Amino acid sequence: MLLSLVSRNNKVFLRNKLLVFFSLLSVLILIGLYAIFLQNLQLNSIAEYVPVTPEIEVLVSEWMVAGLLSIIAMSATLGVFGIYIKDLEAKTTADFLVTAASRYKIQLSYVISSFIIGFSMTFIGFICCEIFIVSIGGEWLSPIAMLKAIGILILAVVMSSMINLFIVLFINTETAFSTVSTISGTLLGFLCGIYVPMAVLPSAVQSVIHFFPVSHITVLLRDVFTAQSVEKVFAGNDVYARTYKVDYGVMYEINGSILSSMTSLLFVLTTIIVLGTLSTLLFRRKYK
């Protein structure tokens, strides 16, 4: 029964072209902003340290790609939960209860669907981003780096599913869901340090970003994607390389200390466990 519900959810989502479009709207906005002014903003900033070269343009694109993929993971999984809200408002969930399916299986089917569709769309985005980077003169990620990136994307989708599940448990109407989706799409770019470089933000805002779970996915991906380019662009200029990484959120500096990749990874895993537990407790309380 669970597999049938998951299959049904997947088909409903993919059949609704408008739902697919709006789930990726924030991604399209980011691409537009990057093409219009974000790229030039970074290039002008880096030019203060080293002359702009094709390698630098690749670095800037790799930086953007990392943020793009973290947003795809969030947006795609949230879009799938739109099916849950629609079913809830249309009383379709009550119809499912007439069958052998329990409330837990019904809820779990939406979570599984969000992971399947979220990872599928994120992985397709990853392949497209890799092709884009190579097309502008960059290099393919090494096999090890590619495996790291895919592992991070899996974590990104799992965490995004948990975050969005927790959010939608407080929503009961499509109108409220649309509002949340719009706000989420707008805030993601800022809270992941994509629209505006970290260095120009007030310290209070930087602190918020440091504690925003999705931003740690962005940092982990940036570290993987930009590693080779940073070595090429800032060869022999370790001070400039560190300044660039901190200013543009390739790594986080908190109270003068650099946050390690392992710390970001543990932060993501903790978020998954905590939100998964809270969502389970909230669901039990809501439907006891």
Side-chain angles (χ1 to χ4, degrees):
M1 188 64 194
L2 179 61
L3 294 178
S4 298
L5 288 171
V6 171
S7 176
R8 175 259 178 190
N9 294 339
N10 293 347
K11 290 177 181 177
V12 170
F13 177 81
L14 296 174
R15 226 176 12 238
N16 191 331
K17 301 298 186 295
L18 193 61
L19 187 60
V20 174
F21 171 76
F22 279 109
S23 68
L24 295 177
L25 183 59
S26 57
V27 177
L28 299 175
I29 292 173
L30 176 58
I31 293 174
L33 289 174
Y34 173 75
I36 296 171
F37 73 89
L38 288 179
Q39 184 182 35
N40 289 332
L41 181 67
Q42 273 216 51
L43 291 175
N44 293 336
S45 179
I46 297 175
E48 297 178 6
Y49 305 111
V50 293
V52 174
T53 63
E55 287 77 14
I56 290 180
E57 293 182 2
V58 170
L59 171 61
V60 171
S61 295
E62 290 170 339
W63 178 89
M64 184 275 296
V65 158
L68 187 67
L69 291 174
S70 59
I71 289 181
I72 291 177
M74 274 294 290
S75 299
T77 51
L78 180 60
V80 176
F81 281 111
I83 302 170
Y84 161 71
I85 299 299
K86 185 175 182 179
D87 288 345
L88 193 66
E89 195 169 23
K91 308 296 183 184
T92 304
T93 305
D95 294 338
F96 289 150
L97 291 172
V98 177
T99 67
S102 64
R103 289 189 183 275
Y104 287 105
K105 284 186 177 180
I106 295 171
Q107 188 68 45
L108 184 59
S109 71
Y110 294 111
V111 177
I112 295 175
S113 291
S114 74
F115 175 79
I116 293 173
I117 293 176
F119 181 72
S120 298
M121 297 183 75
T122 305
F123 185 73
I124 291 172
F126 169 66
I127 297 300
C128 291
C129 287
E130 274 287 85
I131 293 173
F132 167 70
I133 293 298
V134 173
S135 71
I136 62 173
E139 298 179 4
W140 293 99
L141 290 176
S142 67
I144 294 178
M146 193 168 288
L147 288 175
K148 284 182 180 179
I150 293 173
I152 295 169
L153 292 178
I154 291 174
L155 282 176
V157 174
V158 173
M159 185 178 70
S160 296
S161 295
M162 291 299 99
I163 292 174
N164 289 325
L165 170 62
F166 183 74
I167 292 172
V168 298
L169 285 175
F170 293 94
I171 301 173
N172 296 309
T173 66
E174 288 189 75
T175 301
F177 180 78
S178 298
T179 303
V180 170
S181 297
T182 302
I183 295 173
S184 172
T186 303
L187 288 179
L188 275 175
F190 288 104
L191 294 178
C192 288
I194 297 171
Y195 294 151
V196 182
M198 292 283 290
V200 303
L201 294 172
S203 57
V205 177
Q206 290 187 35
S207 297
V208 172
I209 293 174
H210 290 156
F211 286 97
F212 182 58
V214 183
S215 76
H216 287 269
I217 291 293
T218 306
V219 167
L220 290 169
L221 287 172
R222 282 173 180 163
D223 184 51
V224 172
F225 274 99
T226 64
Q228 294 180 2
S229 293
V230 167
E231 288 185 7
K232 289 181 181 178
V233 172
F234 298 102
N237 294 312
D238 293 340
V239 175
Y240 288 160
R242 186 182 186 281
T243 300
Y244 169 76
K245 286 183 176 181
V246 172
D247 286 354
Y248 282 88
V250 178
M251 61 184 186
Y252 284 162
E253 183 179 41
I254 301 177
N255 296 326
S257 300
I258 297 298
L259 206 66
S260 68
S261 295
M262 183 57 66
T263 302
S264 290
L265 183 61
L266 289 174
F267 190 85
V268 170
L269 291 172
T270 301
T271 301
I272 292 172
I273 294 170
V274 170
L275 288 182
T277 302
L278 288 176
S279 296
T280 301
L281 294 174
L282 182 61
F283 183 80
R284 286 180 178 176
R285 182 179 180 181
K286 189 174 182 179
Y287 293 107
K288 64 180 179 180

